[in-house]
Amino acid sequence: MMDNVFGLYNYWVVIFLMMTGFYIVISQRNLIKKVIGLNIFQTSVFLLYITIGKVEGGTAPIVSEGFNVYTNPLPSVLILTAIVVGVATTSVALALIVRIREAYETIEEDEILAQEKLT
Amino acid sequence: MIKQNLLALQIVIPLIAAPLCILLRRRALVWGFAVLVCWLTFGISVVLLRQVLETGLVSYEMGGWAAPWGIEYRADPLSAFVLLFVSGIGAIVLSSAGLKDTALDEIPVSRQYLFFTLYLLCLTGLLGITITGDLFNVFVFLEISALSSYGLIGLGGRRQALPAAFQYLVMGTIGATFILIGIGLMYMMTGTLNMADMAERLVMADGGRTALVAFGFLTVGIGIKMALFPLHIWLPNAYAYAPSLVTAFLAATATKVSVYILLRFVFSVFGVTFAFETLGLGGVLMFLSLLGIFVASTVAIFQTNIKRMLAYSSVAQIGYMVLGISFASTTGLVAGIVHLFNHALIKGGLFMAMGCVMLRLKSVDIEDMAGIGRKMPFTMAAWAVGGLGLIGIPATAGFISKWYLIRAALEQNWWIVAVMVLISSLLAVIYVWRVIETAFFKEPSARAREAREAPLSMLLPTWVLVGATLFFGVMTSTSAGVAGRAAEVLLRVIP
């Protein structure tokens, strides 16, 4: 029981963040808040990958004398790419929001929908 | 030298050409350059397909690092086939962007060079997904194509394009992140990212619950990306409000490549036994695809915006592809794969025709399209032929897909499914006929009276695509033959 709670501590954090982010994306009507939710959602996956890469008792993966066990560097490298993708996604999203604001003068999803219904 | 590096060049050429488009800037220059690059890419994929059909598999080690550690690019019959039509349609659609008086005019002049950059980036992403043998690479290319397509949709002339692009961005990112989670869990079980290596190790790993969770995340993520009903809500608005050229390109290629990812993951990585016998994926896919076919076709009937109508029809057509896959038999897979190709041609042609209509009418509403068949006979004739293909009339490509689909259903005694496929085709008859009747038999609307025929630079690519649907409706041995090879490889009938 305690092993499940503390031994898998990282995974619980990942799941909590993932669901938080996902919930924000679904429930919020404000576009900026949606983007923030999306970011939390993506960040949880970054944590998942980094947790996968950790080897118990391993050091940083730099070859030197006296160390035999190294942490797996590959997931960290992968996540570096995923972080770049996340930043790109956020910037595209924010750019779209700026243009939505210019076109509709609001960034609330329901107000945009209401304007569409009228026209 | 070139022959050995074909697989890399397929991706590298459009990738490097994309930023160069920003430097060229002038419309004539940048168009000529981008079209040249697209046709070059298409040429490479033709050579690749011929090589693959001779040898069965072409593999390339990126940077000289051997397979399970380095990134491997590999082309088997399925990926070579998808590469061929994605690059081919990319080239044909872009060719119509022309010098003046084309659908490109929907995009403001100051942003046109960006259109070409994003277009080539999107093409790179789609080809990359298809060609790579590395799981994480799939995610990276998926995001390259997705991010550029958000930009492309946002270029649309009407303001509705912006919320549509944003909605697609949110859904697309969730889908891609789900896929990323799935890949992470698979890496956790096996310690490899190479697909072929993964397939071998997954059998030994016996992941149990982890494999189950990974599979769940992957199928839902891919489902969002390929707009499988009920995960399709991003698609209709995105296709309806994007610039016509973008719609033609994305509708013909983007969702098809996502179906390819599904095929790759389910059949090549997880294997038929795990997905269909242990998990019963077939039943889920069959239910969702049939539901999607009927709901989306019915919704399509009530649309007034014809681009939106075709978008809903796309959701229904994705259903036919997935239905074929859900049988997990050779015939079923042939039906699914051949419909990837046929539907790409049909929808590409239909949306190109809509581009011609948009150019002349500045509208794609059914009311404005009344009587347009008399003013734009060649455009609407192309539309009509494409529409017949959508229904699946004999001698069009759409018939071949449905023929295989029904045969696959009858093989497994799913006669009720076969009947439902036939009934759903009647729904397609209704929405296609509605447009044909309005365009040819109604009094011209105010806008239609002032319209004239679309320029040859747009008609020619439209008719190339529509003509291809007729060609492959008669000469079935080519498309169905390659699809058959691909299906056999997927089911490991031949090693």
Side-chain angles (χ1 to χ4, degrees), chain B residues 297-315:
Chain B
S297 300
T298 315
V299 174
I301 294 173
F302 297 101
Q303 297 301 314
T304 52
N305 180 324
I306 300 304
K307 268 169 88 174
R308 218 177 137 86
M309 182 201 92
L310 288 175
Y312 273 107
S313 138
S314 273
V315 176

Side-chain angles (χ1 to χ4, degrees), chain A residues 12-107:
Chain A
W12 289 116
V13 173
V14 167
I15 292 170
F16 177 73
L17 282 178
M18 195 182 283
M19 290 305 119
T20 311
F22 199 38
Y23 179 74
I24 294 174
V25 175
I26 295 169
S27 65
Q28 290 297 326
R29 293 273 153 236
N30 184 302
L31 298 186
I32 296 276
K33 288 180 183 168
K34 265 186 194 291
V35 174
I36 293 171
L38 214 53
N39 267 313
I40 297 173
F41 181 58
Q42 286 179 313
T43 310
S44 74
V45 183
F46 303 163
L47 276 180
L48 173 72
Y49 267 71
I50 293 164
T51 310
I52 291 171
K54 175 67 184 166
V55 175
E56 219 163 297
T59 60
I62 304 163
V63 179
S64 65
E65 275 179 39
F67 297 104
N68 295 319
V69 185
Y70 301 106
T71 289
N72 184 356
L74 186 65
S76 310
V77 177
L78 296 180
I79 252 21
L80 213 54
T81 315
I83 289 172
V84 175
V85 170
V87 171
T89 313
T90 310
S91 54
V92 173
L94 292 176
L96 278 172
I97 292 174
V98 169
R99 288 196 51 207
I100 289 174
R101 170 99 168 79
E102 284 170 3
Y104 292 88
E105 308 216 311
T106 176
I107 53 166

